[in-house]
Amino acid sequence: MIIMKSIYFDYAATAPVDREVVKAMMPYFSDRFGNPSSIHSFGQETITAIDAAREKIAKLLNCRFDEIIFTGSATEANNLAIIGLTKGLSEDQYDPIRANRGMLFHIISTEIEHESVLKPLKKLQKEGYEVTCLPVSKDGFIKISDLEKAIKNNTALISVIYASNEIGTIQPIKEIGKFLEKINVKRKIAGLNKIYFHTDAVQALQFLECRPSWLKVDLMTFSGHKIYAPKGIGCLFVRKGTPIRPIIFGGGQEFGLRSGTENVPYIIGLAKAVELVFKNRERTAAKMLKLRNKLLNNIIKNNKSARLNGSFDPPTSLGTSSRLPNNINIRFPGVSNETLLVSLDQSGMAISAGSACSARAFGASHVLTAIGLTEKQAKESIRITIGRNTTEAEIKEASEVISKTIKKLKSI
Ligand code: PLP
């Protein structure tokens, strides 16, 4: 039996596909189904559509057509960015005299990355690469001074998540980009290699300025299903000249960087979704910020012991905010999140404990422990993320249901 959720508050996990996106995709399932690599007219039709989708995204991001690489997910894009770049750099530095192996570089990242960044880093570490994961403050921010101290002569890549999928905190990507630009000038003069900069912008694209030239990033990841396109489509911006190599081999699609027949309808859907994001970004963000603040204020008013995890930002405009406008990550001391989420689900509210994109179910979140919570405190925390379709009525109902449920569980 399928239980219909009356209120969905897990938009950071995934969002429904926008009807306009579905409409744009539909012809490419059964009518325009040619393989984009085929020479005949069926293939011409779909390669032209892919080119148009790539052009649309490139224009919106103010980058080149051939800097947009479609992948099967943001997970794959993050893997391609990290493993593909280190592989490329190692191959470029390949020195047959030095034991037939490339140079093992140093990579800097943070303790609050998504698993699709942390796991490839762990793999590289096992292979001998050096990895430094920067700590974050109790509010969830890295310090540029820590980043500066961590840089070594053999540092080749810095990967920092733009906005946290768990606590919504926004890292100073533009400032890091500017800082690295200066550092790289000095390194060039000193004969050192360039440090490349990657950001996982999966949760950020919907709300924040993401043009790579503005951020001064070399690599940027985003995902379809967080911006109302389908699951199973991702994208990696790769600045021209970045020495990246493929991690999947075959027919050489996507400028040789991602082999495999292109997922035509999903690519078309992704481009439509990005277009809608850019068209409505300010309006959507402002609406969500208002609703999110209302919900947060109601929850705190009715539950005096509740504690917001991560940056507490009362500002009303997105420009001054340090937290995504749709995110609440909150702790109810003495209440297990597992029990709370099951109870809320029974009341028709879909909320999560944190990253739903990992099979780790109810383990303590590495992001929450990174901001200083104990394991117990992390397991008392839930993540509420609202979306484009969230209404005032849902916020009102949710405030009441959450408060009632907390009271009931505390009394047991
Ligand atoms: N990066 C972040 C910040 C995410 O939130 C997610 C998914 O939750 C991913 C990467 C992975 O995205 P995908 O599901 O497209 O692989």
Side-chain angles (χ1 to χ4, degrees):
M1 186 179 70
I2 298 173
I3 301 170
M4 290 304 291
K5 302 289 173 209
S6 56
I7 302 182
Y8 183 78
F9 273 171
D10 201 11
Y11 284 88
T14 198
V17 181
D18 190 287
R19 288 192 200 290
E20 277 194 58
V21 171
V22 175
K23 200 171 146 205
M25 289 166 58
M26 283 314 279
Y28 295 91
F29 285 106
S30 303
D31 297 334
R32 304 178 195 165
F33 61 89
N35 186 323
S37 295
S38 298
I39 298 293
H40 51 63
S41 59
F42 285 79
Q44 289 304 309
E45 188 174 42
T46 50
I47 192 69
T48 306
I50 290 178
D51 283 350
R54 200 187 306 279
E55 188 65 52
K56 187 185 277 181
I57 295 176
K59 254 199 182 134
L60 291 165
L61 290 179
N62 191 28
C63 67
R64 289 168 56 119
F65 172 86
D66 55 359
E67 290 176 327
I68 295 296
I69 309 298
F70 295 116
T71 61
S73 61
T75 295
E76 188 193 319
N78 279 340
N79 274 259
L80 175 59
I82 291 164
I83 298 181
L85 180 73
T86 40
K87 227 164 106 173
L89 287 168
S90 297
E91 282 171 20
D92 284 356
Q93 301 274 332
Y94 176 74
D95 177 357
I97 299 162
R98 287 188 319 128
N100 272 352
R101 67 180 173 85
M103 193 169 155
L104 292 170
F105 292 101
H106 173 231
I107 304 163
I108 301 173
S109 190
T110 81
E111 285 181 357
I112 62 163
E113 297 298 311
H114 187 265
E115 299 285 1
S116 56
V117 165
L118 291 176
K119 291 275 164 66
L121 289 178
K122 279 209 177 104
K123 176 188 148 52
L124 290 173
Q125 213 168 10
K126 275 194 193 141
E127 290 172 14
Y129 289 86
E130 255 184 285
V131 176
T132 304
C133 280
L134 299 175
V136 290
S137 66
K138 66 175 188 4
D139 287 343
F141 301 105
I142 60 161
K143 281 200 215 120
I144 297 195
S145 56
D146 285 346
L147 181 78
E148 188 172 7
K149 274 184 231 148
I151 292 176
K152 302 180 181 195
N153 281 354
N154 66 337
T155 304
L157 171 65
I158 293 178
S159 180
V160 177
I161 191 166
Y162 196 168
S164 167
N165 49 309
E166 297 205 30
I167 52 175
T169 43
I170 300 162
Q171 300 300 330
I173 299 300
K174 183 179 164 57
E175 285 69 29
I176 299 172
K178 260 167 82 183
F179 163 75
L180 279 180
E181 199 174 49
K182 280 192 207 138
I183 291 274
N184 277 328
V185 171
K186 286 189 196 155
R187 286 174 70 95
K188 195 171 177 186
I189 296 165
L192 295 171
N193 62 280
K194 172 181 164 150
I195 300 175
Y196 291 88
F197 186 25
H198 167 246
T199 189
D200 174 346
V202 165
Q203 300 286 344
L205 186 75
Q206 217 191 137
F207 303 111
L208 308 175
E209 169 65 84
C210 277
R211 283 170 302 164
S213 54
W214 189 81
L215 291 172
K216 299 186 187 300
V217 293
D218 301 296
L219 299 144
M220 185 178 81
T221 299
F222 59 96
S223 177
H225 68 114
K226 314 292 179 171
I227 57 165
Y228 305 80
K231 297 158 193 63
I233 181 78
C235 185
L236 183 67
F237 159 81
V238 181
R239 184 174 299 289
K240 190 85 185 150
T242 305
I244 190 168
R245 300 284 190 280
I247 54 170
I248 294 175
F249 301 90
Q253 289 89 345
E254 296 301 304
F255 311 104
L257 273 184
R258 204 279 184 170
S259 286
T261 303
E262 298 89 336
N263 190 342
V264 185
Y266 281 35
I267 289 172
I268 306 301
L270 180 68
K272 186 72 194 173
V274 175
E275 181 191 321
L276 294 175
V277 161
F278 274 74
K279 200 165 132 195
N280 304 315
R281 193 151 58 184
E282 270 77 39
R283 196 154 25 103
T284 310
K287 177 194 151 191
M288 284 197 211
L289 190 66
K290 217 169 117 204
L291 291 176
R292 190 278 309 268
N293 286 351
K294 196 175 240 181
L295 180 59
L296 179 59
N297 289 338
N298 286 348
I299 293 175
I300 290 178
K301 195 172 77 198
N302 296 332
N303 306 273
K304 294 279 181 288
S305 61
R307 293 286 173 269
L308 187 73
N309 295 320
S311 165
F312 181 77
D313 63 336
T316 47
S317 88
L318 187 65
T320 58
S321 177
S322 50
R323 186 178 191 123
L324 291 179
N326 71 333
N327 174 289
I328 295 175
N329 192 312
I330 196 158
R331 177 166 70 88
F332 298 100
V335 179
S336 130
N337 59 8
E338 189 169 354
T339 316
L340 176 56
L341 294 181
V342 171
S343 240
L344 289 173
D345 190 45
Q346 283 163 355
S347 306
M349 282 189 57
I351 291 179
S352 82
S355 176
C357 309
S358 127
R360 221 176 16 176
F362 282 102
S365 146
H366 69 283
V367 174
L368 295 182
T369 50
I371 60 168
L373 266 63
T374 62
E375 226 173 85
K376 178 175 174 293
Q377 289 172 330
K379 288 182 178 176
E380 294 168 341
S381 303
I382 61 169
R383 178 187 71 180
I384 302 169
T385 45
I386 63 171
R388 270 184 208 164
N389 306 333
T390 301
T391 61
E392 287 265 3
E394 286 179 332
I395 294 291
K396 189 165 176 282
E397 190 182 335
S399 311
E400 285 161 15
V401 171
I402 292 172
S403 299
K404 257 194 219 154
T405 311
I406 296 288
K407 268 201 192 102
K408 189 180 84 189
L409 292 179
K410 277 192 168 169
S411 70
I412 292 171

